[in-house]
Amino acid sequence: MVRANRQTPSLFGEEVEPPAEVTPAPPGLYAKVALNRPVPTEFTYDVPERFRERIAVGSRVAVFFGRRRQVGVVVALDERTDVARGKLKALSELLDDEPLVREELLDLTRWIAERYASSWGEALAAILPAALKRESQSKRVLVVRAATDVGKEQLQELEENFPKQHRLLRTLLDLEGRIELRDVLRNLNLSDSPARTLEKRGWVVIEKVAAEVDGLDSARPSERVRPEHLSPHQEAALGALEGALQDGEYRGFLLEGVTGSGKTEVYLRCIETALAQGKSAIVLVPEISLTPQTVGWFRSRFGEVAVLHSRMTDAQRLVMWMRLQKGEVRVVVGARSAIFAPLSELGVVVVDEEHEPSFKQGSVPRYHARDVALERCRRSKAVCILGSATPSLESWHAAASGELTTLSLPERVGGGTFPSMHVVDMRLERERGKGPPLFSRLLRTFLKETVADGEQAIFFVNRRGFIPVLWCRGCEETIRCDQCSMAMTFHKRIAKLVCHGCCEERAVPAACPACTRPGLTFLGFGSEGVERTLRETWPELRVRRMDSDTMRRREDYEEALSAFGRGEIDVLVGTQMIAKGLDFPRVTLVGILAPDQSLSLPDFRASERTFQLIAQVAGRAGRASLPGRIVIQTSVPDHPTLKLAAKGDFRAFAEHELRDRFALGYPPATRLVRILLEGPDEKLVQATGAELHERLVAALRTTTLELRGPEVAPISLLRKRFRYEIIVVSPPDDPGLPHAVATARDFAAKQNRVRVGVDVDPMSLL
Ligand code: ADP
Ligand code: ZN
């Protein structure tokens, strides 16, 4: 294989030096192929006679790269090549009769590669995962369950010497059923070797089964009436959107409205209009709100709606892809990656809850689906609607500066009232000789009243586990994981300390491992602790916990929500997971137990995230005719974010926060690139960081970009890897920024002992 020779100037890779004596291959047909490899270039192959009729730009092909056969996408065809005759290989197979990736998406993936520092092939892989990675499609998935006669005895046997097998078997025994193998391994941060060992011992059963029809695919149209009249605010918003659709030009809108203000109804109407014009639509929602109910709303209005989400099998994705490509389905609802749906004549893209961090992909290419949505709409002359009750400050600022048009829905439709807010100062709740209790007197009183009236409550906690910190009075240290620089959390049910960074477990030490002083103190609380205290204090309460320990499968999540909806649960305790979700008319009390923890995170978005979480959880209460009450328990009641959140005053918060961001040089005043260097050898990580820093300085001499670091990252050790970071701070439109990104990416592609990750517009600096 040979590096492609580029015709267009590009930020990709460095130019290839011509070999000393070149005998260019004779005229013929040559394909440039983008492969899913972290090398920022494409590769040229000879197209054999038998494929010449059918091959096209956008077709998938199989090629040999080294000794391995890989699937890639043809991104250019040329009759000539400068590549030397002897170095060319021929394409092995042409996999599509018609090009699978059309020009629009090819261009968009190229943009993604440049903006988010990946190779073109990696960006293509993000939109066609399975099809690009393999030649054949499998309709089967691996599922795993505990064998029938396995139990405590086997667990005990594993506990001492085989902690990984123990963790897996324990989890499977808890699940009482099967789970997709890759899901449980990912959850527990395990390779598949413990699973295979357990299988050999006959303790777990791994089977290949036909991929189940997903719950969402069978989602029925749910009875959502089409209101006869829109409210005046809805009317005004829809009018603006329809006007833009009529013009057939790109327009971006920020639709600001609290939960229940009728945003979804506006989306639905706007899509109706687009469809009537013969156009198509994409609706992006956070993965977790992609419930059968949401999907049902769209199905009841538009008949056939394609659903795209991360749990689909590769084969299901490909089938859906082809149907969209052929125009058989015109509306797509999905999580992040649905922004790449191959629809033609795109009319409108909705990004609901646009502020959600989950729209940012955590692995390469680290794209932000909202920003990709805006770019795709710009290229397709479509209308983009960003909807939220608490817009991201990026979007808020874009609206203020005229890049987006703001539309507001300031009131709840259908008469729902706003809940009353109560901020409780937990410093005043301490009992003599003890720390603050879990529940304030006010919250206890409200809970009793709520349950007595046959209504429901939601308690929100930031962390999972029983107690997040085990602290030594002697050396004032917390117990940390050996592999990660993170405090370990005590999980009472399994009576162990768990690291939330790497999932490793260990026994609770009797004395401080550092200073050997006995008497470690437990500090703080997590969701498991709240659940247990509720059960102990009020045994008659029906309590259910929702966090990633109890909700390992999507079915568990849906089952818990529907039990809650049927009134079989009095109090739902949970983490982030419960902040979003369905409309529960009988929820009248929301307890927000420790917003302080998220406020104090060392991240410039800490206040924004806390405000959003409070607004979102608060939005769960009093959605129907019953009035809701929100209790915020804090030891910093005067914190401006909490005060504004308690007032529900997003605008004031946004102004306050923007002033801070501009003063400190954080987005949206600037754009950031975070370069994370990780490796087992700290010296080498440091030296690599210094080398990259030098390269960047040289590349950016003439720009106004600022470099911070290399310095130790906030999580300095994770899974036995030392972490350093460099942060590039750039004015928003600085032409030097793409240059910095390309420099870092090319540098990253050449490292092998230090992993260099380039995150453009990072959502978190932790
Ligand atoms: P949001 O998306 O902002 O949370 P929805 O569009 O889901 O709000 O509307 C909230 C509730 O109000 C829904 O039950 C919806 O059916 C209802 N609704 C929306 N618009 C109207 C309207 N114009 N007249 C009556 N009910 C409406
Ligand atoms: Zn760890």
Side-chain angles (χ1 to χ4, degrees), residues 254-279:
L254 177 61
L255 180 60
E256 182 215 1
V258 295
T259 4
S261 61
K263 294 187 298 294
T264 306
E265 193 55 43
V266 173
Y267 307 150
L268 291 166
R269 300 279 176 127
C270 181
I271 294 170
E272 284 174 16
T273 307
L275 291 176
Q277 291 178 354
K279 294 182 179 163

mmCIF file of all heavy atoms in Angstrom, residues 254-279:
data_model
loop_
_atom_site.group_PDB
_atom_site.id
_atom_site.type_symbol
_atom_site.label_atom_id
_atom_site.label_comp_id
_atom_site.label_asym_id
_atom_site.label_seq_id
_atom_site.Cartn_x
_atom_site.Cartn_y
_atom_site.Cartn_z
ATOM 1 N N LEU A 254 -32.812 28.679 17.781
ATOM 2 C CA LEU A 254 -32.767 28.179 19.143
ATOM 3 C C LEU A 254 -34.185 28.275 19.689
ATOM 4 O O LEU A 254 -34.738 29.362 19.792
ATOM 5 C CB LEU A 254 -31.818 29.039 19.984
ATOM 6 C CG LEU A 254 -31.732 28.673 21.463
ATOM 7 C CD1 LEU A 254 -31.238 27.254 21.653
ATOM 8 C CD2 LEU A 254 -30.825 29.649 22.206
ATOM 9 N N LEU A 255 -34.769 27.120 19.984
ATOM 10 C CA LEU A 255 -36.125 27.110 20.533
ATOM 11 C C LEU A 255 -36.006 26.913 22.034
ATOM 12 O O LEU A 255 -35.687 25.832 22.519
ATOM 13 C CB LEU A 255 -36.952 25.979 19.903
ATOM 14 C CG LEU A 255 -38.399 25.837 20.380
ATOM 15 C CD1 LEU A 255 -39.200 27.101 20.109
ATOM 16 C CD2 LEU A 255 -39.068 24.646 19.735
ATOM 17 N N GLU A 256 -36.248 27.991 22.759
ATOM 18 C CA GLU A 256 -36.061 27.967 24.196
ATOM 19 C C GLU A 256 -37.416 27.825 24.868
ATOM 20 O O GLU A 256 -38.309 28.643 24.620
ATOM 21 C CB GLU A 256 -35.406 29.295 24.615
ATOM 22 C CG GLU A 256 -35.100 29.401 26.068
ATOM 23 C CD GLU A 256 -35.275 30.821 26.605
ATOM 24 O OE1 GLU A 256 -35.650 31.738 25.851
ATOM 25 O OE2 GLU A 256 -35.054 30.993 27.808
ATOM 26 N N GLY A 257 -37.580 26.789 25.669
ATOM 27 C CA GLY A 257 -38.852 26.634 26.364
ATOM 28 C C GLY A 257 -38.747 25.560 27.420
ATOM 29 O O GLY A 257 -38.127 24.517 27.182
ATOM 30 N N VAL A 258 -39.326 25.799 28.576
ATOM 31 C CA VAL A 258 -39.258 24.821 29.657
ATOM 32 C C VAL A 258 -39.965 23.533 29.249
ATOM 33 O O VAL A 258 -40.727 23.513 28.271
ATOM 34 C CB VAL A 258 -39.916 25.365 30.948
ATOM 35 C CG1 VAL A 258 -39.129 26.544 31.478
ATOM 36 C CG2 VAL A 258 -41.371 25.736 30.694
ATOM 37 N N THR A 259 -39.723 22.454 29.989
ATOM 38 C CA THR A 259 -40.415 21.198 29.726
ATOM 39 C C THR A 259 -41.915 21.441 29.832
ATOM 40 O O THR A 259 -42.360 22.112 30.749
ATOM 41 C CB THR A 259 -40.040 20.116 30.771
ATOM 42 O OG1 THR A 259 -39.186 20.713 31.736
ATOM 43 C CG2 THR A 259 -39.400 18.938 30.135
ATOM 44 N N GLY A 260 -42.643 20.924 28.883
ATOM 45 C CA GLY A 260 -44.085 21.105 28.932
ATOM 46 C C GLY A 260 -44.560 22.385 28.266
ATOM 47 O O GLY A 260 -45.739 22.721 28.293
ATOM 48 N N SER A 261 -43.634 23.105 27.647
ATOM 49 C CA SER A 261 -44.044 24.361 27.010
ATOM 50 C C SER A 261 -44.528 24.123 25.572
ATOM 51 O O SER A 261 -44.954 25.059 24.903
ATOM 52 C CB SER A 261 -42.889 25.361 27.018
ATOM 53 O OG SER A 261 -41.800 24.854 26.295
ATOM 54 N N GLY A 262 -44.446 22.888 25.112
ATOM 55 C CA GLY A 262 -44.979 22.574 23.788
ATOM 56 C C GLY A 262 -43.939 22.571 22.678
ATOM 57 O O GLY A 262 -44.279 22.728 21.501
ATOM 58 N N LYS A 263 -42.673 22.352 23.026
ATOM 59 C CA LYS A 263 -41.627 22.311 22.000
ATOM 60 C C LYS A 263 -41.845 21.144 21.038
ATOM 61 O O LYS A 263 -41.774 21.307 19.823
ATOM 62 C CB LYS A 263 -40.231 22.163 22.646
ATOM 63 C CG LYS A 263 -39.787 23.355 23.468
ATOM 64 C CD LYS A 263 -38.349 23.215 23.940
ATOM 65 C CE LYS A 263 -38.108 22.020 24.854
ATOM 66 N NZ LYS A 263 -38.797 22.105 26.155
ATOM 67 N N THR A 264 -42.116 19.967 21.611
ATOM 68 C CA THR A 264 -42.271 18.787 20.766
ATOM 69 C C THR A 264 -43.377 18.998 19.737
ATOM 70 O O THR A 264 -43.259 18.600 18.580
ATOM 71 C CB THR A 264 -42.557 17.541 21.638
ATOM 72 O OG1 THR A 264 -41.526 17.454 22.611
ATOM 73 C CG2 THR A 264 -42.588 16.278 20.806
ATOM 74 N N GLU A 265 -44.450 19.651 20.181
ATOM 75 C CA GLU A 265 -45.551 19.916 19.259
ATOM 76 C C GLU A 265 -45.079 20.804 18.102
ATOM 77 O O GLU A 265 -45.462 20.604 16.951
ATOM 78 C CB GLU A 265 -46.706 20.579 20.021
ATOM 79 C CG GLU A 265 -48.003 20.625 19.240
ATOM 80 C CD GLU A 265 -48.434 19.251 18.751
ATOM 81 O OE1 GLU A 265 -48.351 18.267 19.516
ATOM 82 O OE2 GLU A 265 -48.853 19.165 17.575
ATOM 83 N N VAL A 266 -44.209 21.755 18.415
ATOM 84 C CA VAL A 266 -43.671 22.622 17.360
ATOM 85 C C VAL A 266 -42.791 21.817 16.395
ATOM 86 O O VAL A 266 -42.888 21.956 15.175
ATOM 87 C CB VAL A 266 -42.893 23.817 17.967
ATOM 88 C CG1 VAL A 266 -42.185 24.618 16.878
ATOM 89 C CG2 VAL A 266 -43.840 24.713 18.753
ATOM 90 N N TYR A 267 -41.966 20.906 16.958
ATOM 91 C CA TYR A 267 -41.141 20.068 16.071
ATOM 92 C C TYR A 267 -42.041 19.282 15.121
ATOM 93 O O TYR A 267 -41.779 19.177 13.924
ATOM 94 C CB TYR A 267 -40.309 19.025 16.837
ATOM 95 C CG TYR A 267 -39.430 19.502 17.957
ATOM 96 C CD1 TYR A 267 -39.160 18.661 19.042
ATOM 97 C CD2 TYR A 267 -38.822 20.750 17.927
ATOM 98 C CE1 TYR A 267 -38.328 19.061 20.073
ATOM 99 C CE2 TYR A 267 -37.984 21.151 18.966
ATOM 100 C CZ TYR A 267 -37.758 20.299 20.039
ATOM 101 O OH TYR A 267 -36.934 20.687 21.063
ATOM 102 N N LEU A 268 -43.067 18.671 15.720
ATOM 103 C CA LEU A 268 -43.932 17.795 14.920
ATOM 104 C C LEU A 268 -44.577 18.563 13.772
ATOM 105 O O LEU A 268 -44.620 18.094 12.634
ATOM 106 C CB LEU A 268 -45.012 17.163 15.822
ATOM 107 C CG LEU A 268 -44.511 16.132 16.846
ATOM 108 C CD1 LEU A 268 -45.591 15.833 17.889
ATOM 109 C CD2 LEU A 268 -44.083 14.840 16.168
ATOM 110 N N ARG A 269 -45.049 19.773 14.071
ATOM 111 C CA ARG A 269 -45.716 20.566 13.023
ATOM 112 C C ARG A 269 -44.731 20.980 11.943
ATOM 113 O O ARG A 269 -45.061 20.989 10.759
ATOM 114 C CB ARG A 269 -46.324 21.841 13.618
ATOM 115 C CG ARG A 269 -47.349 21.600 14.661
ATOM 116 C CD ARG A 269 -48.692 21.283 14.041
ATOM 117 N NE ARG A 269 -49.618 20.960 15.102
ATOM 118 C CZ ARG A 269 -50.803 21.536 15.269
ATOM 119 N NH1 ARG A 269 -51.212 22.457 14.424
ATOM 120 N NH2 ARG A 269 -51.573 21.188 16.256
ATOM 121 N N CYS A 270 -43.539 21.334 12.369
ATOM 122 C CA CYS A 270 -42.551 21.779 11.401
ATOM 123 C C CYS A 270 -42.174 20.613 10.483
ATOM 124 O O CYS A 270 -42.009 20.787 9.268
ATOM 125 C CB CYS A 270 -41.340 22.320 12.151
ATOM 126 S SG CYS A 270 -40.060 22.927 11.063
ATOM 127 N N ILE A 271 -42.089 19.429 11.057
ATOM 128 C CA ILE A 271 -41.772 18.252 10.233
ATOM 129 C C ILE A 271 -42.924 17.959 9.269
ATOM 130 O O ILE A 271 -42.705 17.609 8.102
ATOM 131 C CB ILE A 271 -41.457 17.036 11.137
ATOM 132 C CG1 ILE A 271 -40.178 17.314 11.916
ATOM 133 C CG2 ILE A 271 -41.313 15.755 10.317
ATOM 134 C CD1 ILE A 271 -39.871 16.308 13.010
ATOM 135 N N GLU A 272 -44.152 18.114 9.749
ATOM 136 C CA GLU A 272 -45.304 17.933 8.848
ATOM 137 C C GLU A 272 -45.154 18.817 7.617
ATOM 138 O O GLU A 272 -45.358 18.386 6.491
ATOM 139 C CB GLU A 272 -46.624 18.305 9.551
ATOM 140 C CG GLU A 272 -47.136 17.274 10.534
ATOM 141 C CD GLU A 272 -48.374 17.773 11.302
ATOM 142 O OE1 GLU A 272 -49.011 18.770 10.867
ATOM 143 O OE2 GLU A 272 -48.688 17.159 12.334
ATOM 144 N N THR A 273 -44.805 20.066 7.875
ATOM 145 C CA THR A 273 -44.668 21.010 6.762
ATOM 146 C C THR A 273 -43.550 20.579 5.810
ATOM 147 O O THR A 273 -43.713 20.618 4.589
ATOM 148 C CB THR A 273 -44.364 22.425 7.297
ATOM 149 O OG1 THR A 273 -45.361 22.742 8.270
ATOM 150 C CG2 THR A 273 -44.375 23.460 6.194
ATOM 151 N N ALA A 274 -42.411 20.167 6.402
ATOM 152 C CA ALA A 274 -41.287 19.742 5.567
ATOM 153 C C ALA A 274 -41.689 18.553 4.700
ATOM 154 O O ALA A 274 -41.390 18.514 3.497
ATOM 155 C CB ALA A 274 -40.092 19.393 6.441
ATOM 156 N N LEU A 275 -42.386 17.592 5.304
ATOM 157 C CA LEU A 275 -42.802 16.402 4.543
ATOM 158 C C LEU A 275 -43.742 16.789 3.414
ATOM 159 O O LEU A 275 -43.645 16.278 2.296
ATOM 160 C CB LEU A 275 -43.478 15.377 5.465
ATOM 161 C CG LEU A 275 -42.570 14.680 6.479
ATOM 162 C CD1 LEU A 275 -43.398 13.768 7.388
ATOM 163 C CD2 LEU A 275 -41.471 13.879 5.802
ATOM 164 N N ALA A 276 -44.637 17.734 3.717
ATOM 165 C CA ALA A 276 -45.577 18.178 2.685
ATOM 166 C C ALA A 276 -44.858 18.822 1.506
ATOM 167 O O ALA A 276 -45.339 18.800 0.381
ATOM 168 C CB ALA A 276 -46.592 19.156 3.289
ATOM 169 N N GLN A 277 -43.673 19.367 1.781
ATOM 170 C CA GLN A 277 -42.869 19.939 0.688
ATOM 171 C C GLN A 277 -42.009 18.895 0.003
ATOM 172 O O GLN A 277 -41.141 19.228 -0.800
ATOM 173 C CB GLN A 277 -41.916 21.002 1.247
ATOM 174 C CG GLN A 277 -42.587 22.253 1.740
ATOM 175 C CD GLN A 277 -41.547 23.230 2.312
ATOM 176 O OE1 GLN A 277 -40.379 22.916 2.431
ATOM 177 N NE2 GLN A 277 -42.015 24.416 2.681
ATOM 178 N N GLY A 278 -42.170 17.627 0.408
ATOM 179 C CA GLY A 278 -41.378 16.564 -0.198
ATOM 180 C C GLY A 278 -39.990 16.452 0.398
ATOM 181 O O GLY A 278 -39.094 15.842 -0.173
ATOM 182 N N LYS A 279 -39.800 17.069 1.585
ATOM 183 C CA LYS A 279 -38.484 16.997 2.211
ATOM 184 C C LYS A 279 -38.478 15.967 3.337
ATOM 185 O O LYS A 279 -39.487 15.375 3.667
ATOM 186 C CB LYS A 279 -38.108 18.377 2.736
ATOM 187 C CG LYS A 279 -37.910 19.371 1.607
ATOM 188 C CD LYS A 279 -37.491 20.708 2.146
ATOM 189 C CE LYS A 279 -37.260 21.683 1.012
ATOM 190 N NZ LYS A 279 -37.243 23.060 1.519
#
